[in-house]
Coordinates of all heavy atoms in Angstrom, one line a residue:
M12 N 0.8 -1.1 0.0 CA 0.1 0.0 0.0 C 0.9 1.2 -0.1 O 2.0 1.2 0.6 CB -0.9 0.0 1.2 CG -1.8 -1.1 1.2 SD -3.0 -1.1 2.6 CE -4.2 0.2 2.2
N13 N 0.4 2.2 -0.8 CA 1.3 3.5 -0.8 C 0.5 4.7 -0.2 O -0.3 5.3 -0.7 CB 1.4 3.7 -2.3 CG 2.3 5.0 -2.5 OD1 2.7 5.7 -1.5 ND2 2.6 5.3 -3.8
W14 N 0.9 4.8 1.1 CA 0.3 5.9 1.7 C 0.8 7.3 1.5 O 0.2 8.3 1.8 CB 0.4 5.6 3.3 CG -0.7 4.7 3.8 CD1 -0.6 3.3 3.7 CD2 -2.1 5.0 4.0 NE1 -1.9 2.8 4.0 CE2 -2.9 3.7 4.3 CE3 -2.8 6.2 4.3 CZ2 -4.2 3.8 4.6 CZ3 -4.2 6.1 4.5 CH2 -4.7 4.9 4.8
D15 N 1.8 7.4 0.8 CA 2.4 8.6 0.2 C 1.3 9.3 -0.6 O 1.0 10.5 -0.6 CB 3.5 8.5 -0.4 CG 4.8 8.3 0.7 OD1 4.7 8.7 1.7 OD2 5.7 7.6 0.1
T16 N 0.7 8.4 -1.4 CA -0.3 8.8 -2.4 C -1.6 9.4 -1.6 O -2.3 10.3 -1.9 CB -0.9 7.7 -3.3 OG1 0.3 7.2 -4.0 CG2 -1.9 8.1 -4.4
A17 N -1.8 8.6 -0.5 CA -3.1 9.1 0.4 C -2.8 10.4 1.0 O -3.8 11.3 1.0 CB -3.2 8.0 1.6
K18 N -1.6 10.7 1.4 CA -1.3 12.0 1.9 C -1.7 13.1 0.9 O -2.1 14.2 1.2 CB 0.2 12.1 2.3 CG 0.5 11.3 3.5 CD 2.0 11.5 3.8 CE 2.3 10.5 5.1 NZ 3.8 10.6 5.3
G19 N -1.3 12.9 -0.3 CA -1.4 13.8 -1.4 C -2.9 14.0 -1.8 O -3.3 15.1 -2.3
N20 N -3.8 13.1 -1.5 CA -5.2 13.2 -1.7 C -6.0 13.2 -0.4 O -7.2 12.7 -0.5 CB -5.6 12.0 -2.6 CG -5.0 12.0 -4.0 OD1 -5.3 12.9 -4.8 ND2 -4.0 11.2 -4.3
W21 N -5.4 13.6 0.5 CA -6.0 13.6 1.9 C -7.3 14.2 1.8 O -8.4 13.8 2.5 CB -5.2 14.1 2.9 CG -5.8 14.0 4.3 CD1 -6.0 14.9 5.1 CD2 -6.2 12.7 5.0 NE1 -6.5 14.5 6.4 CE2 -6.6 13.1 6.3 CE3 -6.1 11.4 4.6 CZ2 -7.1 12.1 7.1 CZ3 -6.6 10.5 5.5 CH2 -7.1 10.9 6.8
T22 N -7.5 15.4 1.2 CA -8.7 16.1 1.2 C -9.9 15.3 0.7 O -11.0 15.4 1.2 CB -8.6 17.4 0.4 OG1 -7.5 18.2 0.8 CG2 -9.8 18.2 0.3
L23 N -9.6 14.5 -0.4 CA -10.6 13.7 -1.0 C -10.9 12.6 -0.1 O -12.2 12.2 0.0 CB -10.1 13.2 -2.3 CG -10.0 14.3 -3.4 CD1 -9.3 13.6 -4.6 CD2 -11.1 15.0 -3.8
I24 N -10.0 12.0 0.7 CA -10.2 10.8 1.5 C -10.9 11.1 2.8 O -11.7 10.3 3.2 CB -8.9 10.0 1.6 CG1 -8.3 9.5 0.3 CG2 -9.0 9.0 2.6 CD1 -6.8 9.0 0.5
K25 N -10.6 12.2 3.3 CA -11.1 12.5 4.7 C -12.6 12.6 4.7 O -13.2 12.3 5.8 CB -10.3 13.7 5.3 CG -10.7 15.0 4.8 CD -9.8 16.0 5.5 CE -10.1 17.4 4.9 NZ -9.2 18.4 5.6
G26 N -13.2 12.9 3.8 CA -14.7 13.0 3.8 C -15.3 11.6 3.9 O -16.2 11.5 4.7
N27 N -14.7 10.7 3.3 CA -15.3 9.4 3.2 C -14.9 8.8 4.7 O -15.8 8.1 5.3 CB -14.6 8.5 2.3 CG -15.4 7.2 2.0 OD1 -16.4 7.0 2.5 ND2 -14.8 6.4 1.2
I28 N -13.8 9.1 5.2 CA -13.4 8.7 6.7 C -14.3 9.3 7.6 O -14.9 8.6 8.6 CB -12.0 9.0 7.0 CG1 -11.0 8.1 6.1 CG2 -11.6 8.9 8.6 CD1 -9.5 8.6 6.1
K29 N -14.7 10.5 7.5 CA -15.7 11.2 8.4 C -17.1 10.5 8.3 O -17.7 10.3 9.4 CB -15.8 12.6 8.0 CG -16.7 13.5 8.9 CD -16.2 13.6 10.3 CE -17.0 14.6 11.1 NZ -17.0 14.5 12.5
L30 N -17.5 10.2 7.1 CA -18.7 9.3 7.0 C -18.7 8.0 7.8 O -19.6 7.7 8.4 CB -19.1 9.1 5.6 CG -19.6 10.3 4.8 CD1 -19.7 10.0 3.2 CD2 -20.8 11.0 5.3
Q31 N -17.6 7.4 7.7 CA -17.5 6.0 8.3 C -17.2 6.1 9.8 O -17.9 5.4 10.5 CB -16.2 5.3 7.7 CG -16.0 3.9 8.2 CD -17.0 2.9 7.8 OE1 -17.5 3.0 6.6 NE2 -17.3 2.0 8.6
W32 N -16.5 7.2 10.3 CA -16.3 7.3 11.7 C -16.6 8.7 12.0 O -15.8 9.6 12.2 CB -14.7 7.0 11.9 CG -14.4 5.6 11.8 CD1 -14.7 4.6 12.6 CD2 -13.7 5.1 10.6 NE1 -14.3 3.4 12.1 CE2 -13.6 3.7 10.9 CE3 -13.1 5.6 9.6 CZ2 -13.0 2.9 10.1 CZ3 -12.5 4.8 8.6 CH2 -12.3 3.4 8.9
G33 N -18.0 8.9 12.2 CA -18.4 10.3 12.6 C -18.0 10.9 13.9 O -18.1 12.1 14.0
K34 N -17.4 10.1 14.8 CA -16.9 10.7 16.0 C -15.6 11.4 15.8 O -15.2 12.2 16.7 CB -16.7 9.7 17.1 CG -18.0 9.1 17.7 CD -17.7 8.1 18.8 CE -18.9 7.2 19.3 NZ -18.3 6.3 20.2
L35 N -14.8 11.2 14.6 CA -13.6 11.9 14.5 C -14.0 13.3 14.1 O -14.8 13.6 13.3 CB -12.9 11.2 13.3 CG -12.4 9.8 13.6 CD1 -11.7 9.3 12.3 CD2 -11.7 9.6 14.9
T36 N -13.3 14.3 14.8 CA -13.4 15.7 14.6 C -12.5 16.2 13.4 O -11.7 15.5 13.0 CB -13.1 16.4 15.9 OG1 -11.7 16.3 16.1 CG2 -14.0 15.9 17.0
H37 N -12.8 17.5 13.1 CA -12.0 18.2 12.1 C -10.5 18.3 12.6 O -9.6 18.1 11.8 CB -12.5 19.6 11.8 CG -11.6 20.4 10.8 ND1 -11.6 20.1 9.5 CD2 -10.7 21.4 11.1 CE1 -10.7 20.9 8.9 NE2 -10.3 21.7 9.9
D38 N -10.4 18.4 13.9 CA -9.0 18.5 14.5 C -8.4 17.1 14.4 O -7.2 17.0 14.0 CB -9.2 18.9 15.9 CG -9.4 20.3 16.2 OD1 -9.2 21.2 15.3 OD2 -9.8 20.7 17.3
H39 N -9.2 16.0 14.5 CA -8.5 14.6 14.4 C -8.1 14.5 12.9 O -6.9 14.1 12.7 CB -9.6 13.5 14.6 CG -9.9 13.3 16.1 ND1 -11.2 13.1 16.5 CD2 -9.2 13.2 17.3 CE1 -11.2 13.0 17.8 NE2 -10.0 13.0 18.2
L40 N -8.8 14.9 12.0 CA -8.6 14.7 10.6 C -7.4 15.6 10.2 O -6.5 15.1 9.4 CB -9.9 15.1 9.7 CG -10.9 13.9 10.0 CD1 -12.2 14.4 9.2 CD2 -10.6 12.5 9.6
S41 N -7.2 16.7 10.7 CA -6.2 17.6 10.4 C -4.9 17.0 11.0 O -3.9 17.0 10.3 CB -6.3 19.0 10.9 OG -7.5 19.6 10.3
K42 N -4.9 16.5 12.1 CA -3.8 15.9 12.8 C -3.3 14.7 12.1 O -2.1 14.4 11.8 CB -4.1 15.5 14.2 CG -2.9 15.0 15.0 CD -3.3 14.6 16.4 CE -2.2 14.0 17.1 NZ -2.5 13.4 18.4
I43 N -4.2 13.8 11.5 CA -4.0 12.6 10.8 C -3.2 12.9 9.5 O -2.2 12.4 9.2 CB -5.2 11.8 10.6 CG1 -5.8 11.3 11.8 CG2 -4.9 10.7 9.6 CD1 -7.2 10.8 11.8
A44 N -3.7 13.9 8.8 CA -3.1 14.4 7.5 C -2.6 13.3 6.6 O -1.6 13.4 5.9 CB -2.0 15.4 7.8
G45 N -3.4 12.2 6.5 CA -3.0 11.2 5.6 C -2.1 10.1 6.1 O -1.6 9.4 5.4
R46 N -1.7 10.2 7.3 CA -0.7 9.4 7.9 C -1.4 8.0 8.4 O -2.2 8.2 9.4 CB 0.2 10.0 9.0 CG 1.1 11.1 8.5 CD 2.2 11.7 9.5 NE 1.3 12.0 10.7 CZ 0.9 13.2 11.1 NH1 1.4 14.2 10.3 NH2 0.4 13.4 12.2
H47 N -1.1 6.9 8.0 CA -1.7 5.7 8.3 C -1.7 5.4 9.8 O -2.7 5.1 10.4 CB -1.1 4.6 7.5 CG -1.8 3.2 7.7 ND1 -1.1 2.3 8.5 CD2 -3.0 2.7 7.3 CE1 -1.8 1.2 8.7 NE2 -3.0 1.4 7.8
D48 N -0.5 5.5 10.4 CA -0.6 5.2 11.8 C -1.3 6.1 12.7 O -1.9 5.7 13.6 CB 1.0 5.2 12.1 CG 1.6 6.5 12.0 OD1 1.3 7.3 11.1 OD2 2.6 6.8 12.8
Q49 N -1.4 7.5 12.3 CA -2.1 8.3 13.1 C -3.7 8.0 12.9 O -4.4 8.0 13.9 CB -1.9 9.8 12.5 CG -0.6 10.2 13.0 CD -0.5 10.7 14.4 OE1 -1.5 11.1 15.1 NE2 0.6 10.4 15.1
L50 N -4.1 7.7 11.6 CA -5.5 7.3 11.4 C -5.9 6.2 12.2 O -6.9 6.2 13.0 CB -5.5 7.1 9.9 CG -7.0 6.6 9.4 CD1 -8.2 7.6 9.8 CD2 -7.1 6.2 8.0
T51 N -5.2 5.0 12.1 CA -5.6 3.8 12.8 C -5.5 4.1 14.3 O -6.4 3.6 15.1 CB -4.7 2.6 12.5 OG1 -3.5 2.9 12.5 CG2 -5.0 2.2 10.9
G52 N -4.5 4.7 14.7 CA -4.4 4.9 16.3 C -5.6 5.8 16.8 O -6.1 5.5 17.9
I53 N -5.9 6.9 16.0 CA -7.0 7.7 16.7 C -8.4 6.9 16.5 O -9.2 7.1 17.4 CB -7.1 9.0 15.9 CG1 -6.0 9.9 16.2 CG2 -8.4 9.8 16.0 CD1 -5.8 11.1 15.5
I54 N -8.6 6.1 15.5 CA -9.8 5.4 15.4 C -9.8 4.3 16.5 O -10.8 4.1 17.2 CB -10.0 4.6 14.1 CG1 -10.2 5.8 12.9 CG2 -11.0 3.5 14.1 CD1 -10.1 5.1 11.5
Q55 N -8.7 3.7 16.9 CA -8.8 2.7 17.9 C -9.0 3.4 19.3 O -9.8 2.8 20.1 CB -7.3 2.0 17.9 CG -7.0 1.1 16.9 CD -5.5 0.6 17.0 OE1 -5.1 0.4 18.0 NE2 -5.0 0.5 15.8
K56 N -8.4 4.5 19.4 CA -8.6 5.3 20.7 C -10.1 5.7 20.8 O -10.8 5.6 21.8 CB -7.6 6.4 20.8 CG -7.7 7.1 22.2 CD -6.6 8.1 22.2 CE -6.7 8.9 23.5 NZ -5.6 10.0 23.7
T57 N -10.6 6.3 19.8 CA -11.9 6.9 19.9 C -13.0 5.9 20.0 O -14.0 6.1 20.6 CB -12.1 7.8 18.6 OG1 -11.2 8.7 18.4 CG2 -13.4 8.5 18.6
Y58 N -12.9 4.8 19.2 CA -13.9 3.7 19.2 C -13.6 2.5 20.0 O -14.5 1.6 20.1 CB -14.2 3.2 17.7 CG -14.9 4.4 16.9 CD1 -14.3 5.4 16.3 CD2 -16.4 4.4 17.0 CE1 -14.9 6.4 15.6 CE2 -17.0 5.3 16.2 CZ -16.3 6.3 15.7 OH -17.0 7.4 14.9
G59 N -12.5 2.4 20.6 CA -12.0 1.2 21.3 C -12.0 -0.1 20.5 O -12.2 -1.2 21.0
A60 N -11.6 0.1 19.2 CA -11.5 -1.0 18.3 C -10.1 -1.7 18.3 O -9.2 -0.9 18.8 CB -11.7 -0.5 16.9
T61 N -10.1 -2.8 17.9 CA -8.8 -3.5 17.9 C -8.0 -3.0 16.7 O -8.6 -2.5 15.8 CB -8.9 -5.0 17.9 OG1 -9.5 -5.5 16.6 CG2 -9.7 -5.6 19.0
K62 N -6.7 -3.2 16.8 CA -5.8 -2.9 15.7 C -6.2 -3.5 14.4 O -6.3 -2.9 13.3 CB -4.4 -3.1 15.9 CG -3.4 -2.6 14.8 CD -1.9 -2.8 15.3 CE -1.0 -2.3 14.1 NZ 0.3 -2.3 14.5
H63 N -6.4 -4.9 14.5 CA -6.8 -5.7 13.3 C -8.1 -5.2 12.7 O -8.2 -5.0 11.4 CB -6.8 -7.1 13.7 CG -7.4 -7.9 12.5 ND1 -6.5 -8.3 11.6 CD2 -8.6 -8.6 12.3 CE1 -7.2 -9.2 10.7 NE2 -8.4 -9.2 11.1
V64 N -9.1 -5.0 13.5 CA -10.4 -4.5 12.9 C -10.3 -3.2 12.4 O -10.7 -2.9 11.1 CB -11.4 -4.5 14.1 CG1 -12.8 -3.8 13.5 CG2 -11.8 -5.9 14.5
T65 N -9.5 -2.2 12.9 CA -9.4 -0.9 12.4 C -8.6 -1.1 11.0 O -9.0 -0.3 10.1 CB -8.5 -0.1 13.4 OG1 -9.3 -0.1 14.6 CG2 -8.5 1.4 12.9
E66 N -7.5 -1.8 11.1 CA -6.8 -1.9 9.8 C -7.6 -2.4 8.7 O -7.7 -1.8 7.5 CB -5.5 -2.9 9.9 CG -4.5 -2.4 10.8 CD -3.5 -1.4 10.2 OE1 -3.6 -1.4 9.0 OE2 -2.8 -0.8 10.9
E67 N -8.5 -3.4 8.8 CA -9.2 -4.0 7.8 C -10.4 -3.0 7.3 O -10.6 -2.8 6.1 CB -10.0 -5.2 8.3 CG -8.9 -6.4 8.5 CD -8.2 -6.7 7.2 OE1 -8.7 -6.8 6.1 OE2 -7.0 -6.8 7.3
R68 N -10.9 -2.2 8.2 CA -12.0 -1.3 7.9 C -11.5 -0.1 7.1 O -12.1 0.5 6.2 CB -12.8 -0.9 9.1 CG -13.6 -2.1 9.7 CD -14.7 -1.7 10.6 NE -15.7 -0.8 10.1 CZ -16.5 -0.1 10.8 NH1 -16.5 -0.2 12.1 NH2 -17.4 0.8 10.3
V69 N -10.3 0.3 7.4 CA -9.6 1.5 6.8 C -9.2 1.0 5.3 O -9.5 1.6 4.4 CB -8.3 1.9 7.5 CG1 -7.5 2.8 6.6 CG2 -8.7 2.6 8.7
K70 N -8.7 -0.3 5.2 CA -8.3 -0.8 3.9 C -9.5 -0.9 3.0 O -9.3 -0.9 1.8 CB -7.6 -2.1 4.0 CG -6.2 -2.0 4.7 CD -5.7 -3.4 4.9 CE -4.4 -3.4 5.7 NZ -3.9 -4.7 6.1
D71 N -10.8 -1.2 3.5 CA -11.9 -1.3 2.7 C -12.6 -0.1 2.3 O -13.5 -0.2 1.5 CB -12.8 -2.3 3.5 CG -12.3 -3.7 3.5 OD1 -11.5 -4.1 2.6 OD2 -12.8 -4.5 4.4
L72 N -12.2 1.1 2.9 CA -12.9 2.2 2.3 C -12.5 2.5 0.9 O -11.4 2.3 0.5 CB -12.3 3.5 3.2 CG -12.8 3.5 4.6 CD1 -12.0 4.7 5.3 CD2 -14.3 3.9 4.6
P73 N -13.6 2.8 0.0 CA -13.4 2.9 -1.4 C -12.3 3.8 -1.8 O -11.6 3.7 -2.8 CB -14.8 3.4 -1.9 CG -15.7 2.9 -0.9 CD -15.0 3.0 0.4
Q74 N -12.3 5.1 -1.2 CA -11.3 6.0 -1.6 C -10.0 5.6 -1.2 O -8.9 6.0 -1.8 CB -11.5 7.4 -1.2 CG -12.8 8.0 -1.9 CD -13.1 9.4 -1.4 OE1 -12.9 9.7 -0.2 NE2 -13.5 10.2 -2.3
V75 N -9.8 5.0 -0.1 CA -8.5 4.4 0.2 C -8.0 3.4 -0.8 O -6.8 3.4 -1.2 CB -8.5 3.8 1.8 CG1 -7.2 3.0 2.0 CG2 -8.8 4.9 2.7
K76 N -8.8 2.5 -1.2 CA -8.5 1.6 -2.2 C -8.1 2.3 -3.4 O -7.2 1.9 -4.1 CB -9.6 0.7 -2.5 CG -9.9 -0.5 -1.5 CD -11.0 -1.4 -1.9 CE -11.4 -2.3 -0.8 NZ -12.5 -3.2 -1.3
E77 N -8.7 3.3 -3.9 CA -8.5 4.0 -5.1 C -7.1 4.7 -5.1 O -6.3 4.7 -6.0 CB -9.5 5.2 -5.3 CG -9.3 5.9 -6.7 CD -10.4 6.9 -6.8 OE1 -11.4 7.0 -6.1 OE2 -10.1 7.9 -7.6
F78 N -6.7 5.3 -3.9 CA -5.5 6.1 -3.8 C -4.4 5.4 -3.3 O -3.2 5.7 -3.8 CB -5.7 7.4 -3.2 CG -6.6 8.4 -3.8 CD1 -7.8 8.7 -3.2 CD2 -6.2 9.0 -4.9 CE1 -8.7 9.6 -3.9 CE2 -7.0 9.9 -5.6 CZ -8.3 10.1 -5.1
V79 N -4.6 4.4 -2.4 CA -3.5 3.8 -1.9 C -3.3 2.4 -2.5 O -2.2 1.8 -2.6 CB -3.8 3.5 -0.3 CG1 -2.8 2.7 0.4 CG2 -4.0 4.8 0.4
G80 N -4.3 1.9 -3.0 CA -4.2 0.4 -3.7 C -4.8 -0.6 -2.7 O -5.1 -0.4 -1.6
P81 N -5.2 -1.8 -3.4 CA -5.7 -2.9 -2.6 C -4.7 -3.4 -1.5 O -3.5 -3.4 -1.7 CB -6.0 -3.9 -3.7 CG -5.1 -3.6 -4.8 CD -4.9 -2.2 -4.7
H82 N -5.2 -3.9 -0.5 CA -4.3 -4.5 0.5 C -3.9 -5.9 0.0 O -4.4 -6.4 -0.8 CB -4.9 -4.5 2.0 CG -6.3 -5.2 2.1 ND1 -6.3 -6.5 2.2 CD2 -7.5 -4.6 2.0 CE1 -7.7 -6.8 2.3 NE2 -8.4 -5.7 2.3
K83 N -2.7 -6.3 0.6 CA -2.1 -7.5 0.1 C -3.0 -8.8 0.0 O -2.6 -9.7 -0.7 CB -0.9 -7.9 0.7 CG -1.1 -8.0 2.3 CD 0.2 -8.2 3.0 CE 0.0 -8.3 4.5 NZ 1.2 -8.3 5.2
N84 N -4.1 -8.8 0.7 CA -4.9 -10.0 0.6 C -6.0 -9.8 -0.5 O -6.9 -10.7 -0.5 CB -5.6 -10.3 2.0 CG -4.6 -10.6 3.0 OD1 -3.6 -11.1 2.6 ND2 -4.8 -10.4 4.3
H85 N -6.0 -8.8 -1.2 CA -7.1 -8.4 -2.1 C -6.9 -9.3 -3.3 O -5.7 -9.4 -4.0 CB -7.0 -7.1 -2.5 CG -8.0 -6.6 -3.6 ND1 -9.4 -6.6 -3.2 CD2 -8.0 -6.3 -4.9 CE1 -10.0 -6.1 -4.4 NE2 -9.2 -6.0 -5.2
N86 N -8.0 -9.9 -3.8 CA -7.9 -10.8 -5.0 C -8.9 -10.3 -6.0 O -10.1 -10.6 -6.0 CB -8.3 -12.2 -4.6 CG -7.3 -12.9 -3.7 OD1 -6.1 -12.7 -4.0 ND2 -7.7 -13.7 -2.7
P87 N -8.4 -9.5 -7.0 CA -9.3 -9.0 -7.9 C -10.0 -10.1 -8.8 O -9.3 -11.0 -9.1 CB -8.5 -7.9 -8.6 CG -7.1 -8.3 -8.6 CD -7.1 -9.0 -7.2
R88 N -11.2 -9.8 -9.2 CA -11.7 -10.8 -10.1 C -11.1 -10.7 -11.6 O -11.0 -9.5 -11.9 CB -13.3 -10.6 -10.2 CG -14.0 -10.9 -8.8 CD -15.5 -10.7 -9.0 NE -16.0 -10.9 -7.8 CZ -17.3 -11.3 -7.6 NH1 -18.1 -11.3 -8.6 NH2 -17.7 -11.4 -6.4
I89 N -11.0 -11.7 -12.3 CA -10.5 -11.7 -13.6 C -11.6 -12.0 -14.6 O -12.4 -12.7 -14.5 CB -9.4 -12.8 -13.7 CG1 -8.2 -12.4 -12.8 CG2 -8.9 -12.7 -15.1 CD1 -7.2 -13.4 -12.7

């Protein structure tokens, strides 16, 4: 996964993240600024989710898939 691409497209991605995790504030999203570790950490802290669950849900967001790419377990249909 290429999170450098996510940083460059953070404005587009953060709207989808806000829809998925409504408890995250504008300040949270500004602090995250496209950094994967910050995103998963704040979601875990805010929602009490495990690291594994958080990672999977972040990877499954459509805009994350578009800009970052599929996670390594993704098997596209041929």
Side-chain angles (χ1 to χ4, degrees):
M12 296 181 80
N13 183 355
W14 278 91
D15 290 332
T16 304
K18 287 180 187 177
N20 293 290
W21 184 240
T22 302
L23 300 172
I24 295 171
K25 70 182 176 181
N27 201 6
I28 290 172
K29 181 68 174 161
L30 288 174
Q31 181 71 33
W32 292 284
K34 291 182 185 178
L35 298 183
T36 65
H37 178 71
D38 288 341
H39 286 134
L40 296 172
S41 294
K42 181 180 177 183
I43 293 165
R46 293 187 312 257
H47 179 256
D48 59 332
Q49 289 286 322
L50 174 60
T51 55
I53 288 174
I54 291 170
Q55 287 173 42
K56 184 176 181 179
T57 304
Y58 285 88
T61 65
K62 182 176 182 174
H63 177 75
V64 169
T65 303
E66 292 279 345
E67 291 302 311
R68 293 199 54 202
V69 167
K70 290 175 190 175
D71 286 338
L72 287 173
Q74 287 181 325
V75 170
K76 286 181 182 179
E77 178 181 348
F78 292 113
V79 178
H82 52 87
K83 60 186 171 188
N84 297 329
H85 179 70
N86 295 317
R88 293 183 185 197
I89 298 175

